[in-house]
Amino acid sequence: MVRIIYPDLLGADRGRDVLVGQLPAACGHGLTFCRAVYHTTPRGDVVPVAGGLDAGLPDICVRPDLRTLKPLPWEPGVAWCLGDSLDPLTGAPVAESPRALLRRVLDRAGEYVGDDGISVVVGPELEYFLCDASPAAASGWVPYGGATGNVYSAGRRGDPDGHLLRTLRLLGELGIGVIAGNHEFDGGQFEINLDHSEALDAADRAFFFKAAVKEAARHEGRLATFMAKPFNGLGGSGFHAHLSLVDADGRNVFDDPRAGGGLSATARHAVGGVLRHAPALTALLNPTVNSYKRFGPDTLAPWLIDWGFDNRSAMVRIPPERGAGTRLELRLGDASANPYLLVAGTVAAVLLGVRDKTEPPAALEGYGYDETSAARLPATLPAALDALEADEALTGLLGDGFVRAFLTYKRNEVERYQLAVTDWEFGEYAFLI
């Protein structure tokens, strides 16, 4: 069996299992899906995005990309691969396709940087919570393990059932460039790092990673969630991206030993571009209503639009390595971000900064939660969506078709949230008012 999967707007995997004997036919004419799969909410409702309901729920055609074929360690006799979503009449990529969006942005990198041989290198770094079922909890789930204080630890102290070792072995067999993992700050929270590679490959591997971790947890009878902040009183989960530019000779063009801080003008302009477009980027990198409950002072999640040298309280951190390891680390994203949209948005901001020679302000020194020192990021999803819509340079590079679909989809999420009565509201008001 071959499981052909592709990311929806949320970054969740959609797909179909195909018998191996039918694979040549699937590669020849593709697999048909309803286009509205891109417009479907986590609860199964269809959002009225243009080209879906209004067009009578037409098809898309998904063609397997057999270069991404990988056997699944937890499903004997099954391999999976990515599929590309195309218009069945024209053969053009579907505007809502996150993988196609990233390709479009990368195809223009040389134009913006002034070097056709340039490539973008990305290293993804993600956190997630593992949860155990609990009928006593309002949500039905509690953090696995429970113990706090085990940040940067390994072994059974914070992982009594050996989840991390088991998962790392499976991911190692899957061959997606996983390096290492550890217990994170809160009980049941883990971080796993992936190796760096060309940007599309890095996004593919991050997508595979999230799907694999969630599937492996289901085999344990548990829930792995990349939700930004799943529990009150606990921290959130991040999705950090390490990024650099490499020329045709393999030289890291962010590195310049003669310049201040060892950063080239290209690197400074890349940082400047990310800072300039940060309000709009927030909509792509923090894409849910829940995302904004992770932000705030003293959270080690960004709150202000700033940067610094080896400073984890800054939105953009410049790690201490130089030479081939010179890079920026964007700490803005949370774990719920779609890997393709996170990488595409970040790359677009970097390219704009390099093209426009955008200089960043002075680097942050010290602990970076003084709101008099830098502008604040959008504090809500509606504010972030408005910032994305207003950023004509960024949306022009991302493409109008994608941006319109994304804004419609996400504003529907905001509307549904604003109409929902939460447990907090009942507890706050019902017994006194």
Side-chain angles (χ1 to χ4, degrees):
M1 202 77 68
V2 175
R3 180 167 297 162
I4 299 163
I5 63 173
Y6 58 96
D8 65 9
L9 281 176
L10 292 168
D13 53 295
R14 306 284 181 170
R16 186 171 294 157
D17 288 335
V18 176
L19 290 161
V20 169
Q22 298 300 315
L23 186 60
C27 292
H29 57 66
L31 303 173
T32 55
F33 291 83
C34 177
R35 183 170 184 169
V37 71
Y38 283 116
H39 318 150
T40 302
T41 74
R43 294 178 184 267
D45 300 317
V46 178
V47 178
V49 175
L53 283 171
D54 65 331
L57 300 171
D59 276 347
I60 57 171
C61 176
V62 175
R63 292 189 181 276
D65 181 352
L66 295 183
R67 295 169 298 180
T68 65
L69 192 68
K70 299 178 186 302
L72 297 185
W74 57 86
E75 292 282 12
V78 180
W80 68 6
C81 73
L82 290 168
D84 287 314
S85 301
L86 308 171
D87 185 300
L89 298 178
T90 67
V94 177
E96 299 96 318
S97 166
R99 197 167 188 241
L101 168 66
L102 178 54
R103 277 202 182 105
R104 289 198 302 273
V105 172
L106 293 172
D107 285 346
R108 301 190 68 183
E111 169 191 343
Y112 278 71
V113 176
D115 180 354
D116 288 339
I118 207 75
S119 62
V120 183
V121 174
V122 174
E125 181 181 308
L126 292 103
E127 299 168 336
Y128 65 94
F129 274 90
L130 185 69
C131 308
D132 281 322
S134 172
S139 66
W141 300 94
V142 295
Y144 156 77
T148 58
N150 289 312
V151 63
Y152 288 148
S153 68
R156 299 297 174 114
R157 186 175 73 222
D159 183 9
D161 191 40
H163 160 80
L164 183 61
L165 287 177
R166 191 162 51 246
T167 302
L168 284 172
R169 289 188 178 112
L170 287 172
L171 295 172
E173 291 178 45
L174 188 58
I176 56 172
V178 165
I179 301 171
N182 56 266
H183 196 284
E184 251 301 328
F185 191 83
D186 284 301
Q189 189 180 34
F190 297 90
E191 176 182 322
I192 293 179
N193 305 121
L194 285 80
D195 200 1
H196 62 277
S197 68
E198 187 276 328
L200 180 61
D201 178 72
D204 285 343
R205 291 185 296 109
F207 171 64
F208 275 141
F209 167 78
K210 293 179 76 171
V213 167
K214 289 183 283 188
E215 192 70 1
R218 293 182 186 109
H219 281 260
E220 296 181 9
R222 296 187 170 105
L223 171 71
T225 182
F226 290 87
M227 185 176 170
K229 187 176 171 66
F231 298 106
N232 288 316
L234 300 182
S237 292
F239 183 167
H240 300 167
H242 297 250
L243 183 145
S244 59
L245 299 181
V246 176
D247 66 18
D249 296 323
R251 184 181 69 86
N252 186 329
V253 300
F254 279 2
D255 181 56
D256 185 350
R258 299 164 298 178
L263 295 183
S264 69
T266 300
R268 291 197 319 274
H269 299 154
V271 172
V274 171
L275 298 181
R276 174 176 288 181
H277 299 282
L281 279 180
T282 306
L284 299 173
L285 276 60
N286 304 273
T288 71
V289 169
N290 174 259
S291 295
Y292 298 82
K293 297 176 181 180
R294 169 179 166 265
F295 284 172
D298 303 316
T299 60
L300 289 183
W303 188 48
L304 305 175
I305 302 171
D306 54 12
W307 74 290
F309 289 95
D310 199 12
N311 191 328
R312 282 181 169 80
S313 65
M315 189 191 81
V316 177
R317 169 178 173 258
I318 306 298
E321 294 89 347
R322 293 296 177 266
T326 309
R327 64 194 187 277
L328 65 83
E329 177 194 6
L330 180 56
R331 299 173 61 82
L332 175 59
D334 70 60
S336 68
N338 182 325
Y340 297 96
L341 305 189
L342 181 144
V343 176
T346 305
V347 172
V350 164
L351 296 180
L352 290 166
V354 173
R355 183 196 67 179
D356 299 338
K357 295 182 169 51
T358 307
E359 289 288 346
L364 169 71
E365 295 184 5
Y367 196 48
Y369 288 101
D370 175 8
E371 64 178 313
T372 65
S373 66
R376 282 187 61 176
L377 289 159
T380 64
L381 181 57
L385 295 172
D386 289 346
L388 175 63
E389 186 174 29
D391 192 329
E392 294 180 358
L394 191 74
T395 58
L397 185 46
L398 297 176
D400 290 342
F402 164 77
V403 172
R404 284 197 302 270
F406 183 81
L407 290 174
T408 301
Y409 184 77
K410 282 293 160 183
R411 283 176 171 149
N412 177 271
E413 176 183 329
V414 172
E415 291 169 6
R416 289 183 287 114
Y417 174 74
Q418 290 172 339
L419 291 172
V421 178
T422 65
D423 291 341
W424 183 91
E425 291 169 280
F426 190 89
E428 182 78 2
Y429 306 123
F431 296 98
L432 185 63
I433 295 175

